[in-house]
Amino acid sequence: MSMNAPRGTQDILPGTSEKWQYVERQLADLCRRYNYKEIRTPIFEHTELFQRGVGDSTDIVQKEMYTFEDRGGRSVTLRPEGTASVVRSYVQNKVYGLPNQPTKYFYMGPMFRYERPQQGRQRQFVQFGIEALGSDDPAIDAEVLALALGSYEELGLKSLKLVLNSLGDKESREAHRDALVRHFDPHREELCADCQVRLDQNPLRVLDCKKDREHPAMSTAPSILDYLNDYSENYFEEVKKYLDEMGIAYEIDPNLVRGLDYYNHTAFEIMSEAEGFGAITTLSGGGRYTGLVQEVGGPETSGIGFAMSIERLLMALEAEGIELPIDEGLDTYVVALGEEAEKAAVRLTYQLRQAGIQVDKDYLGKKMKAQFKAADRIGAKYVLVLGDQELENNVINVKTMATGDQQEVALDEIVDFMKKQLIGGE
């Protein structure tokens, strides 16, 4: 019986996994500079968390969640996004009561959505995101936008576009909601079945529909920017001023909405404008939310965050022809010839590894020529050759693979010698 990975999942093999590790290290370092700390939450949560936190009217909850009953009859869901889990942890652990606020988190890990797999969009995908909780200062909105954009720029991406909108506060959204219903209601029967439901549950989501995007009513839909009250308008202006102070370019798109119910005020997306990236250009998105913390049992708390797909980040790097500085070679390879030399090679390999040196050896009983070929294939910088004769003389031969130069080194000095060659420089 042939067993393959489930549809919408993938194996990340050596040769590719090193790219993931490099990207993850760079993102973690960027977060360190912004003083965001890592949080790790469970891969599955109680289903109600996502129903309440993400919103019953969203496609995620209605169509895409992996939900099942555990053996205790409890409904649990593989997390489809990170924000609700982070907020749940924030509330459960009463982090809102700690003196140092706002609380600034970052996370990386697998998420799960049941949707049609396509390039850069899998059913299991890896998401990096940040959340800043406990401040409604427009300056932290600008900080989050800068971090989001920096996540791509740090890796060398240049064909980027930051798109910005305001969804307003509750009062502004309600006024816009009524205007949207009045606008789209005469066209209700012309809209897709999903949008007919959205028109009653969450009219803002109609603007985000991919099926009806070409409908004439879309281009004339009322803009949220025309319904912002003074507070919301001033808030949005402050965010833009801070971005201007940092020299960060952006575009305003009044039709930009986010797919989750908990957003208000600042909403944004970062897009790739690279040739050959694909029809779906969005790399990441996020925004401000107020009410989500209360929804999961905490006090009134404001927050802002964003999330990005690592898969789509790697696609963008490929589209712009950016090669990550990945060293896939090996520091040292030990070649052993003879029974006693083999035993000594095992001990030496262990000693080198304990000293912080990357090293490997043959485990298939290959002859010397084949061992050298193996060392060359895996890009070893140095080959250490140890035979029974060398062992008897307490020496080992060191070959520099780039030049072919060889030198004899005392066996009891080889660890320090290699440390100087590889760590301390020649």
Side-chain angles (χ1 to χ4, degrees), residues 177 181 185 188 195-203:
R177 180 189 189 284
V181 172
D185 203 48
R188 181 183 291 265
C195 279
Q196 292 179 30
V197 174
R198 290 169 183 151
L199 199 53
D200 295 321
Q201 293 184 348
N202 187 355

Side-chain angles (χ1 to χ4, degrees), residues 250-310:
Y250 56 87
E251 294 182 12
I252 304 299
D253 181 358
N255 289 324
L256 171 65
V257 300
R258 300 295 301 145
L260 309 179
D261 285 354
Y262 49 61
Y263 286 111
N264 54 26
H265 289 301
T266 309
F268 68 95
E269 289 185 354
I270 296 174
M271 301 176 179
S272 170
E273 297 187 301
E275 273 189 53
F277 180 69
I280 302 173
T281 60
T282 301
L283 289 170
S284 64
R288 174 163 286 282
Y289 47 86
T290 302
L292 180 56
V293 175
Q294 299 96 297
E295 194 67 39
V296 296
E300 184 175 343
T301 306
S302 186
I304 182 169
F306 79 91
M308 58 184 274
S309 158
I310 302 295

Side-chain angles (χ1 to χ4, degrees), residues 59-322:
D59 285 351
I60 291 175
V61 171
Q62 290 187 350
K63 301 177 181 179
E64 298 173 3
M65 294 202 313
Y66 278 91
T67 298
F68 56 94
E69 281 194 359
D70 67 10
R71 294 191 177 188
R74 294 170 290 260
S75 180
V76 294
T77 296
L78 299 178
R79 62 186 182 194
E81 57 94 51
T83 302
S85 292
V86 170
V87 170
R88 189 269 310 147
S89 176
Y90 176 81
V91 172
Q92 181 179 340
N93 293 286
K94 296 183 172 57
V95 180
Y96 50 79
L98 298 180
N100 292 332
Q101 298 295 337
T103 299
K104 303 202 293 188
Y105 289 131
F106 79 90
Y107 60 85
M108 273 185 276
M111 308 290 167
F112 305 84
R113 296 186 191 178
Y114 189 87
E115 54 185 342
R116 185 174 63 85
Q118 51 189 301
Q119 188 179 22
R121 288 180 182 264
Q122 299 288 326
R123 290 175 175 173
Q124 177 181 321
F125 57 98
V126 177
Q127 202 173 70
F128 162 74
I130 69 104
E131 309 293 343
L133 295 149
S135 171
D136 57 5
D137 184 346
I140 205 165
D141 295 43
E143 175 182 281
V144 167
L145 288 161
L147 198 162
L149 200 59
S151 299
Y152 299 101
E153 292 174 338
E154 288 275 319
L155 293 163
L157 289 169
K158 298 186 183 304
S159 299
L160 301 168
K161 179 171 70 172
L162 171 61
V163 181
L164 198 60
N165 192 23
S166 172
L167 303 180
D169 60 8
K170 185 177 180 181
E171 179 183 80
S172 303
R173 286 182 63 146
E174 286 179 354
H176 184 229
R177 180 189 189 284
D178 293 341
L180 286 173
V181 172
R182 289 194 301 272
H183 176 77
F184 282 111
D185 203 48
H187 307 283
R188 181 183 291 265
E189 298 305 317
E190 302 163 14
L191 301 176
C192 71
D194 288 337
C195 279
Q196 292 179 30
V197 174
R198 290 169 183 151
L199 199 53
D200 295 321
Q201 293 184 348
N202 187 355
L204 192 65
R205 294 279 290 111
V206 174
L207 300 176
D208 200 31
C209 180
K210 294 174 177 58
K211 292 181 182 177
D212 291 329
R213 66 173 58 183
E214 302 301 327
H215 193 286
M218 288 292 185
S219 60
T220 58
S223 166
I224 179 64
L225 298 181
D226 294 330
Y227 292 85
L228 297 180
N229 57 21
D230 289 344
Y231 176 79
S232 297
E233 188 171 353
N234 290 336
Y235 193 99
F236 194 38
E237 288 302 315
E238 287 296 307
V239 173
K240 291 188 287 184
K241 284 178 184 176
Y242 284 123
L243 292 174
D244 292 339
E245 286 289 335
M246 290 186 281
I248 294 176
Y250 56 87
E251 294 182 12
I252 304 299
D253 181 358
N255 289 324
L256 171 65
V257 300
R258 300 295 301 145
L260 309 179
D261 285 354
Y262 49 61
Y263 286 111
N264 54 26
H265 289 301
T266 309
F268 68 95
E269 289 185 354
I270 296 174
M271 301 176 179
S272 170
E273 297 187 301
E275 273 189 53
F277 180 69
I280 302 173
T281 60
T282 301
L283 289 170
S284 64
R288 174 163 286 282
Y289 47 86
T290 302
L292 180 56
V293 175
Q294 299 96 297
E295 194 67 39
V296 296
E300 184 175 343
T301 306
S302 186
I304 182 169
F306 79 91
M308 58 184 274
S309 158
I310 302 295
E311 288 89 344
R312 294 187 66 75
L313 166 58
L314 291 169
M315 279 178 57
L317 291 169
E318 185 177 345
E320 292 197 28
I322 296 172

Side-chain angles (χ1 to χ4, degrees), residues 408-425:
E408 198 172 73
V409 178
L411 192 56
D412 54 6
E413 296 176 4
I414 188 60
V415 173
D416 288 338
F417 176 83
M418 294 308 302
K419 284 173 70 175
K420 289 178 183 177
Q421 297 295 103
L422 293 162
I423 301 171

Side-chain angles (χ1 to χ4, degrees), residues 250 299 332 345 384:
Y250 56 87
T332 311
L384 310 185

